[in-house]
Amino acid sequence: MFDIILPAIPVFVVLLVVEYLSFRLRPDDHELGYDIRDSRTSLTMGIGNVVINIGWKMVSLVVLAAAFMISPFSLSPTNPLTWVILFFADDFLYYWFHRTHHTIRILWASHVVHHSSRYFNFSTALRQTWTPFTYLPYWIPLALLGMPPWMIMLQQSISLIYQFFIHTERVGKLWRPIEFVLNTPSHHRVHHGSNAQYLDRNYGGIMIIWDRLFGTFEAEGERVVYGLTKNIDTYNPVKVATHEYAAIYHDMRGASNWRDRYGYLVRGPGWVPQSTAEAAAAESASK
C-alpha cells in the first residue's frame, strides 16, 4: 500500500530499454550513453537494494509507528492540507539527508554507491546502496509531528520514482519556471559531476528550491564529467557497495591518534589531518 517502488520496476526497465535504443538509433557525440558492464553493475546494485529493503522497510515502519504512537498530534490523511505539508516536509528533510550524506564521510560511504558510475542514464538511477540503514532517522520527526507512517513511506516512494526520471542525458534544459522550482535532468547532471564547480551541489529531491535557499545550487554550464573525484575502476558489485567503508577503516587504522580517527569518520570525504596535508605539500614542493 505504501511502497510503490516494486510495481514501478517494470516501468523502469521498459524506459531503460527505450533510452538505450534511443542512443543506438540517434547517438550524440556529447552524450556518453550506455556501457553494458556499467549498467549490469547498476542493475545488480538495484536488485540488491530491493532485496535488502524488503526487511529494512519493515523495520523502518515499526520505528515510525512507534514515534507516531507517542506523538501528541495526529494529522488526518483525509485532509488535503496534510498531503501538502507532507510533500514539502519530506522534500525538505530529503535535502538535508542528501546533503549530510555527501558531507559526513561515514554517511557518504553508503551514498557513494550511487555516484560511482561514470555514466548518467536510467540504469544509473538504479545503482542504489546496500546499506540504507542511516536513512531512517531523518524521517522520524515527521512521525513525531503526527504524520501517519504509511503516508511518510508512500511519499518517500513517490520522491524516488520522480528522481528516476531525472537521471538522463537525453533531456536538455526545460522551461525556465520549471527549472527554477523543480529538480530536473539538467540540475541532477550537475549533482553527479566530478567537475570542481559541480561538487556538493544540487541536493534537492523533487524541488530545487532548497538548494537556491541554502546556497548549494549550481546551474549546468560546462560539460559534466560523471563519477567520483577518485574513481574506483571496478564493476564488482560487492566492491562498489563496500569500498568506502574499507577506505575509512584503512585511514582510521593508519591514524596516529583518536582525534584523527574521529575526523576520518565524520569529516567530509577527502579530509586528511593537517599534519598529513602539510607533509604531502612539502613532498610535492620538493619534487
Side-chain angles (χ1 to χ4, degrees), residues 8 25 31 60 73 76 86 89 103 125 133 149 151 172 227 233 266 283 285:
L25 297 173
E31 299 173 349
S60 300
F73 311 106
S76 173
L86 174 62
T103 55
F133 316 116
M151 289 181 62
D233 295 320
V266 302
E283 182 180 352

Side-chain angles (χ1 to χ4, degrees), residues 40-268:
R40 183 172 60 235
T41 298
S42 295
L43 292 174
T44 303
M45 299 303 301
I47 293 170
N49 176 268
V50 169
V51 172
I52 291 167
N53 269 320
I54 291 173
W56 180 243
K57 285 190 175 182
M58 294 306 298
V59 174
S60 300
L61 181 61
V62 170
V63 173
L64 292 174
F68 178 72
M69 289 178 66
I70 65 173
S71 171
F73 311 106
S74 181
L75 301 180
S76 173
T78 61
N79 186 339
L81 184 60
T82 301
W83 291 95
V84 174
I85 293 172
L86 174 62
F87 174 82
F88 285 98
D90 172 81
D91 209 57
F92 175 76
L93 292 174
Y94 180 86
Y95 170 86
W96 286 106
F97 146 77
H98 199 180
R99 183 168 176 171
T100 53
H101 276 69
H102 274 258
T103 55
I104 298 174
R105 193 178 180 194
I106 189 61
L107 302 182
W108 171 244
S110 171
H111 185 62
V112 66
V113 170
H114 185 59
H115 287 264
S116 60
S117 174
R118 300 190 199 185
Y119 292 80
F120 190 76
N121 50 53
F122 286 150
S123 74
T124 308
L126 305 179
R127 184 178 288 225
Q128 297 292 329
T129 182
W130 288 358
T131 55
F133 316 116
T134 55
Y135 293 19
L136 175 59
Y138 292 84
W139 277 269
I140 292 177
L142 290 182
L144 292 174
L145 290 173
M147 197 69 67
W150 69 268
M151 289 181 62
I152 298 172
M153 300 190 77
L154 176 60
Q155 183 58 40
Q156 288 176 338
S157 296
I158 292 171
S159 178
L160 287 175
I161 289 173
Y162 176 89
Q163 291 178 60
F164 172 84
F165 294 99
I166 60 176
H167 287 81
T168 182
E169 294 181 288
R170 302 261 80 178
V171 177
K173 292 188 177 182
L174 302 176
W175 186 38
R176 289 184 65 183
I178 293 176
E179 292 281 336
F180 186 81
V181 175
L182 296 179
N183 196 8
T184 65
S186 176
H187 297 329
H188 207 57
R189 285 193 289 270
V190 167
H191 178 69
H192 276 256
S194 61
N195 316 51
Q197 73 270 33
Y198 292 159
L199 294 177
D200 299 327
R201 293 291 183 265
N202 298 1
Y203 296 116
I206 295 178
M207 295 186 293
I208 203 67
I209 58 174
W210 312 117
D211 289 282
R212 296 186 185 277
L213 286 173
F214 297 115
T216 53
F217 175 74
E218 183 71 29
E220 185 178 23
E222 71 174 43
R223 184 174 180 178
V224 180
V225 178
Y226 303 108
L228 306 172
T229 55
K230 295 181 180 179
N231 288 301
I232 56 177
D233 295 320
T234 181
Y235 297 106
N236 184 323
V238 175
K239 290 183 178 179
V240 172
T242 62
H243 75 275
E244 187 64 13
Y245 292 108
I248 291 174
Y249 172 77
H250 177 269
D251 288 340
M252 292 181 67
R253 187 177 181 183
S256 59
N257 58 71
W258 283 104
R259 182 177 181 179
D260 290 347
R261 293 187 184 100
Y262 180 75
Y264 279 124
L265 196 65
V266 302
R267 297 285 190 120

